[in-house]
Amino acid sequence: MLVPLHIEGSPPPWGQTLQRLAGETMGTSWSVALIGPEPLSLAPLYAAIEALFSDVIAQMSHWDATSLLSRFNRAAPGTRLVLPPGFADVMDAALQIAAASNGAFDPTAGALVQRWGFGPPADGQEDQAQRGWAALGWDAHTRSIEQPGGLRLDLSAIAKGHAVDRLADLLAELGLPHHLAEVGGELRGAGLKPDGQPWWVDFEPPAADADVLPLRLALHGLAIATSGDYRRFRLDADGRRQSHTIDPRRGEPIAHGLASVSVVHASAMWADGWSTALMVMGLEAGLAFATAHGLAARFLQRHDGGYVERFSPALEALLS
């Protein structure tokens, strides 16, 4: 079991109950578990959550042709776009991760993803030579980006985590500090249950029969995100697994045998982005990077028909 280094706050008052909401968004599912007073009107809360997700989609969906991101991808060279706060926060984090990882994470890899058949269908637009994240004219002062021409953003490896953070922040703002927020398997927990227990969640195994010990995490002021090749992949003409995770530095799917990387962080957005970067790096380089940068990460590598599990020092520090 993994537990936070610091437990703060008091359990909710007795008499409050566990309540749940769930739905679909961003091509996946979402859910909320919360401790709230009785009676608690869930209809307005559900509507507020749906409005939040609609805003994320309107800003950053690469599947929605009317989104701000899609319009930027089609924009003429030299077009500069001032971003709304959520989009700007995601772009700033994405570019920090891109720079730190030397491009293992690249928010401008949309053309590559599309070329390998994992993004939305091609729209007939001829993308220019792949320039990469450094060509994106990001101005941190004005919170704006410039289209150099033919560059295609794809924030699917970090926007889902951002949505989890916004969902958790919304619940806290509405006076519901004891909650577990989830979008597509990425989770963030806060507060405690009435019995003083945190929100316990299990690390997802890459297969039902995976030969790894169960691992449980107390999500108390923490988030967890996992990148892996066991959910979305296809087989090539020779029957070999082709991961949906693209290495932007090589321009092709990863093929180093790393099955998954899970990152524990205070922010689901950062956990989401870092897990993708480490997944692209592979076991040895990823573990070395996580160690050097203090990232709490768990790696599962395929080996001899089974899996080898490795923890970064920051994750080992959470072992109880």
Side-chain angles (χ1 to χ4, degrees), residues 57-285:
I57 291 170
Q59 291 184 32
M60 288 172 276
S61 173
H62 65 296
W63 289 92
D64 185 346
T66 66
S67 73
L68 192 57
L69 180 146
S70 294
R71 298 201 303 272
F72 176 82
N73 286 349
R74 297 191 300 269
T79 300
R80 179 162 287 278
L81 179 66
V82 177
L83 302 179
F87 198 156
D89 290 343
V90 172
M91 185 56 60
D92 187 56
L95 292 173
Q96 288 188 53
I97 296 172
S101 67
N102 291 320
F105 180 93
D106 190 342
T108 70
L112 277 174
V113 173
Q114 191 176 67
R115 190 175 304 149
W116 284 94
F118 290 110
D123 55 12
Q125 178 181 342
E126 290 294 329
D127 57 277
Q128 299 180 16
Q130 179 70 19
R131 292 184 174 91
W133 64 272
L136 183 64
W138 167 243
D139 187 326
H141 178 69
T142 61
R143 311 274 276 179
S144 65
I145 51 178
E146 182 176 327
Q147 172 63 270
L151 188 148
R152 303 177 74 86
L153 293 174
D154 182 341
L155 299 176
S156 57
I158 192 169
K160 190 167 61 174
H162 165 72
V164 174
D165 284 340
R166 284 190 59 178
L167 176 55
D169 290 344
L170 173 66
L171 294 171
E173 291 167 5
L174 293 177
L176 300 166
H178 306 279
H179 59 257
L180 178 67
E182 177 263 342
V183 179
E186 322 294 25
L187 302 108
R188 177 173 150 181
L192 300 165
K193 299 177 183 178
D195 61 0
Q197 287 291 313
W199 302 97
W200 290 102
V201 299
D202 293 331
F203 281 62
E204 184 179 39
D209 58 350
D211 55 343
V212 292
L213 293 175
L215 187 61
R216 181 162 289 185
L217 168 67
L219 276 187
H220 176 83
L222 292 174
I224 181 171
T226 298
S227 292
D229 70 352
Y230 54 91
R231 288 183 185 172
R232 292 181 58 200
F233 65 92
R234 62 187 179 197
L235 301 179
D236 64 17
D238 297 321
R240 293 171 299 191
R241 176 188 296 265
Q242 190 175 82
S243 173
H244 82 284
T245 300
I246 308 297
D247 184 343
R249 304 164 302 178
R250 297 169 53 86
E252 60 187 23
I254 60 172
H256 45 52
L258 190 56
S260 72
V261 179
S262 298
V263 172
V264 178
H265 196 282
S267 160
M269 176 181 68
W270 285 91
D272 202 7
W274 282 128
S275 66
T276 300
L278 298 177
M279 184 73 189
V280 169
M281 292 179 197
L283 176 59
E284 297 304 328

